[in-house]
């Protein structure tokens, strides 16, 4: 079955709105874990707008499932990753002004620098994923620098309407096929929801999705465990059709 990473950044967004202690990020992560999530994902941003350093450390100590740290490949955060040792890191581009991660990482344009980051993580037994747009040259570059996985940016698919939906979906399918010819594992994430997930989850090479905003948003109405279960239900139903 495709594994589910639940991104709990926006539980922290709500907490940071009052700079207090609630809602408890570790508590939320444990609810997701108990509901059946395979992994907890957090993004430690340079501006610390949601997840804080202490959250990453507390999650690493508490979780029974994998901890996946999304991060920019910058010295400050690399040092934190080396220290905390999450199970995996997902390298993402980061711009201070953006509301959320806008595009994929340009792996092809910075291969030497990123190869060093990958090697440094491997020395700490941390597996490395590259968050990339569904483009062949980014897949090839990720394989060349020794990454373990790529996470295909599904934002363009999620934001598309009308005929563009099929076009963006096809880009994801074509990219996954190319990934299947490399040692890379194929993940997907960004903008996925209980409504738009199924066509992506049918991609045969896909082995992990990371979903955040939709799960936390639906949790307001139906509870976090139910929101996680809804997504797991979609992934489970799809399994028989893949
Ligand atoms: N994957 C990556 C690499 C991301 O940067 C994000 C957003 O932080 C997600 C998945 C989750 O996206 P969303 O919150 O839209 O589900």
């Amino acid at each position: 079955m495709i594994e589910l990473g639940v991104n709990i950044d926006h539980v922290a967004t709500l907490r940071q709105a009052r700079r207090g202690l609630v809602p408890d990020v570790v508590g939320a992560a444990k609810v997701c874990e108990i509901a059946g999530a395979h992994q907890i994902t957090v993004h430690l941003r340079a501006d610390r707008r949601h997840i804080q350093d202490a959250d990453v450390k507390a999650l690493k100590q508490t979780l029974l499932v994998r901890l996946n740290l999304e991060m920019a490949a910058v010295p400050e955060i690399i040092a934190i990753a080396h220290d905390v040792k999450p199970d995996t890191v997902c390298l993402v581009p980061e711009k201070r002004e953006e509301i959320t991660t806008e595009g994929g990482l340009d792996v092809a344009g910075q291969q030497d620098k990123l190869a060093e980051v990958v090697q440094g993580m491997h020395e700490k037994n941390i597996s490395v994923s590259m968050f990339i747009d569904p483009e062949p040259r980014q897949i090839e570059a990720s394989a060349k620098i020794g990454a373990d996985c790529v996470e295909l940016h599904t934002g363009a698919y999620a934001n598309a309407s009308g005929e563009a939906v099929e076009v963006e979906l096809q880009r994801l399918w074509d990219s996954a096929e190319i990934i299947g010819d490399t040692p890379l594992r194929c993940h997907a994430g960004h903008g996925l929801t209980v409504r738009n997930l199924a066509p992506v989850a049918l991609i045969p090479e896909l082995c992990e999705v990371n979903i955040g905003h939709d799960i936390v948003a639906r949790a307001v109405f139906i509870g976090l465990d139910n929101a996680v279960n809804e997504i797991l239900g979609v992934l489970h139903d799809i399994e028989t059709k893949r």
Side-chain angles (χ1 to χ4, degrees):
M1 185 170 138
I2 296 172
E3 295 199 324
L4 171 64
V6 178
N7 181 316
I8 54 165
D9 290 350
H10 296 306
V11 175
T13 302
L14 192 55
R15 181 192 62 192
Q16 295 310 107
R18 292 288 165 93
R19 303 271 190 278
L21 296 175
V22 294
D24 175 30
V25 165
V26 174
K30 294 302 281 184
V31 169
C32 297
E33 180 181 277
I34 290 163
H38 302 90
Q39 155 173 295
I40 299 299
T41 296
V42 290
H43 185 174
L44 185 66
R45 295 186 75 104
D47 63 10
R48 308 297 198 274
R49 66 174 70 160
H50 39 52
I51 292 294
Q52 307 295 305
D53 302 41
D55 295 325
V56 184
K57 285 189 187 145
L59 287 166
K60 168 68 188 183
Q61 283 170 2
T62 319
L63 288 176
L64 301 176
V65 292
R66 296 190 306 268
L67 174 62
N68 174 38
L69 178 66
E70 292 174 2
M71 54 174 279
V74 295
E76 184 207 4
I77 310 289
I78 291 170
I80 292 170
H82 285 184
D83 179 38
V84 177
K85 298 189 188 67
D87 300 276
T88 59
V89 293
C90 179
L91 301 184
V92 302
E94 198 176 296
K95 292 191 222 105
R96 211 160 252 278
E97 330 72 58
E98 69 191 354
I99 291 175
T100 181
T101 315
E102 274 164 5
L105 188 65
D106 181 16
V107 182
Q110 41 184 343
Q111 292 187 40
D112 291 348
K113 176 190 149 184
L114 293 176
E116 258 182 53
V117 178
V118 170
Q119 198 189 333
M121 294 294 171
H122 283 170
E123 282 164 12
K124 302 279 180 189
N125 282 325
I126 302 167
S127 163
V128 189
S129 177
M130 299 283 161
F131 186 47
I132 57 167
D133 288 323
E135 290 172 4
R137 68 191 192 101
Q138 300 297 354
I139 298 164
E140 283 151 20
S142 300
K144 201 168 146 204
I145 66 168
D148 304 283
C149 339
V150 288
E151 180 165 327
L152 293 175
H153 194 316
T154 47
Y157 160 74
N159 291 330
S161 55
E163 287 173 11
V165 176
E166 276 308 312
V167 173
E168 293 301 335
L169 191 58
Q170 193 58 48
R171 282 180 72 202
L172 294 168
W173 277 74
D174 293 346
S175 296
E177 202 177 334
I178 297 170
I179 295 166
D181 291 332
T182 72
L184 295 164
R185 290 193 299 279
C186 179
H187 303 170
H190 204 98
L192 294 175
T193 71
V194 71
R195 293 195 179 82
N196 70 15
L197 175 61
V200 174
L202 279 169
I203 295 174
E205 293 82 6
L206 195 66
C207 59
E208 177 184 306
V209 287
N210 284 290
I211 305 181
H213 188 267
D214 188 61
I215 289 177
V216 176
R218 290 185 67 74
V220 171
F221 297 103
I222 64 171
L224 187 53
D225 51 348
N226 286 328
V228 171
N229 265 312
E230 275 186 337
I231 297 285
L232 288 171
V234 174
L235 296 176
H236 190 260
D237 290 349
I238 284 295
E239 211 46 41
T240 52
K241 301 181 187 135
R242 281 174 15 115

